[in-house]
Amino acid sequence: MNENKYWIWLTLVFGIGSRRIWQLVNMFDSPEAIYYALKNGRSGIIFNQREINNIKRNDISFAEHIIKVCELNNIGIVAYDSETYPEQLKNLSIPPAVIYYKGNIRCVLGTPTVTVVGTRNASDYSLRTTVRVCREIAEKGIVIVSGFAVGTDITAHLAAVETGRPTACVMGCGLDVDYPRANFGYRSKVIETGGVFISEYLPGTPARGSNFHRRNRILAALGRIAVIFQAPEHSGSLITAGLAAELGRDVFVLPPADIADYAYKGNSMLIHDGASVLLGSENITEIFEASSPMYDRINKESMDILMNSGEDLLEGNLTDTIDTVSEDRLMRAASYIDKHKLKYSETSAEVSAVDNEIHLNGVQRDIVEILKDGDADTDEIALKMNMDASEIATELTEMEMTGAIKALPGKRFSIGKYK
């Protein structure tokens, strides 16, 4: 825990996903040594003015406040040098310096994991296949990793939950943020079945579009193989698939039900570029069979965990496993957060006052004006604005993330909390 505050301090100063952190880690013996060297001006590195300002204004007490907020919210903290840091993430060129979690972090340690991604607006064919494949691989003890979004993600998670198996949800916001609202009620089910929520973002960090692009690298790395069920041409799933391939992961893709269907153009592109065609759950399970290279690799990780952490880690008695949050602790957490007004700002990399204001660009403001007259679907909005439906869909996704609009049944949208 003592080292955690120095790791957190580094993310406050340099920001999430900073190469500078790893430059310093390679130069010094520990994050604590980095802290004192930078505070005393003896690092030997020339920093830009923004970094200098952040070093001066961010005291270690800010990191200590964040740890307290996490404790009150039952959010666990795992730094890069922790025994419970997932080995898969160390394959990244810029791994998360700190990850925050709720639930059972050990479900992704030394276990077979599969990243599942796909569009939010998935077809019945894709969703049926997602349920069948994910249920079958979960029953085999494979942990499904996905992004907890509506559509493909939540379908994959719930397929595992329904079998009583753990699933890992990688978030693009703070773990105390109610996002996505449509899925928030499923959180307790994920925890109850031994699953985990993971994020590299501090408590209070809102869901911004840019967060999810960065989040995708964790999605790609945490799963030992990747499966794409449905991806349009400009889908974020293609980014995750590309990152997984760069990490040497096998990538499987559901074949389109109709090769002329634009909703599956990303699937066709991936298959054309060399991804494997997914024909059934056996394509996945056979990779983890005994005596396979993957099996040997995972077995070695499990043994290393056992030797480094003792039997408690594998027997379910890990001391930093998060339990269900009691109402009393939530009340105290809310009081503490309100008192200290903690929030992370990526641009300034400092702790500042909480700001719930929603900022919309010009196109998004026009969408809000249309929705003030009643709910509408993507095509209706695109027609009124004389824009391409794919461009409108991108704006709608970002607006849903911030709560400016909300999704309705039938793929329609209504105005959210933005007035």
Side-chain angles (χ1 to χ4, degrees), residues 38-275:
L38 268 55
K39 280 296 187 180
N40 295 326
R42 295 198 298 265
S43 67
I45 294 178
I46 298 176
F47 295 104
N48 61 42
Q49 192 57 51
R50 182 186 65 82
E51 291 172 331
I52 292 171
N53 292 340
N54 285 336
I55 291 169
K56 289 180 179 178
R57 71 164 61 102
N58 282 285
D59 188 74
I60 197 66
S61 62
F62 292 164
E64 292 171 341
H65 286 324
I66 289 166
I67 291 174
K68 185 64 175 178
V69 168
C70 288
E71 289 175 349
L72 293 174
N73 278 284
N74 277 353
I75 295 174
I77 303 172
V78 176
Y80 183 81
D81 58 357
S82 170
E83 295 170 348
T84 51
Y85 188 93
E87 189 69 24
Q88 303 96 296
L89 298 184
K90 294 182 179 180
N91 297 145
L92 292 165
S93 59
I94 307 178
V98 179
I99 57 174
Y100 303 88
Y101 70 92
K102 270 198 169 190
N104 177 20
I105 190 67
R106 68 181 181 273
C107 75
V108 295
L109 304 180
T111 57
T113 53
V114 172
T115 294
V116 171
V117 292
T119 181
R120 297 165 182 267
N121 299 313
S123 70
D124 290 340
Y125 160 63
S126 295
L127 293 179
R128 287 197 308 271
T129 310
T130 301
V131 170
R132 185 177 71 251
V133 171
C134 290
R135 180 185 293 140
E136 290 173 358
I137 65 175
E139 289 173 344
K140 297 288 186 179
I142 297 171
V143 177
I144 293 168
V145 180
S146 196
F148 202 62
V150 297
T152 304
D153 290 7
I154 193 63
T155 300
H157 290 307
L158 293 181
V161 167
E162 288 168 3
T163 68
R165 301 303 178 109
T167 182
C169 310
V170 184
M171 310 297 286
C173 58
L175 295 181
D176 58 339
V177 174
D178 183 1
Y179 177 84
R181 290 170 179 78
N183 294 346
F184 197 77
Y186 297 121
R187 288 198 177 197
S188 60
K189 293 183 178 181
V190 171
I191 300 297
E192 289 167 4
T193 51
V196 65
F197 288 85
I198 293 173
S199 177
E200 65 179 326
Y201 293 101
L202 293 169
T205 303
R208 301 188 183 98
S210 59
N211 294 3
F212 292 87
H213 293 299
R214 190 175 291 112
R215 181 278 308 267
N216 285 345
R217 81 189 198 286
I218 299 178
L219 266 178
L222 202 56
R224 300 175 192 274
I225 66 175
V227 181
I228 289 75
F229 280 98
Q230 183 177 342
E233 183 177 10
H234 301 294
S235 171
S237 299
L238 298 181
I239 297 174
T240 304
L243 292 169
E246 290 176 6
L247 290 168
R249 306 311 198 234
D250 287 322
V251 177
F252 287 88
V253 180
L254 180 68
D258 179 355
I259 61 172
D261 189 346
Y262 179 82
Y264 288 89
K265 189 167 184 179
N267 296 52
S268 299
M269 291 165 56
L270 289 171
I271 293 171
H272 178 270
D273 291 340

Side-chain angles (χ1 to χ4, degrees), residues 76 111 134 153 175 220 241 256 273 293 318 320 341 364 385 392 411:
T111 57
C134 290
D153 290 7
L175 295 181
D273 291 340
L318 184 61
D320 58 356
K341 299 292 184 183
Q364 293 171 351
M385 296 182 63
I392 293 298
K411 300 180 182 179

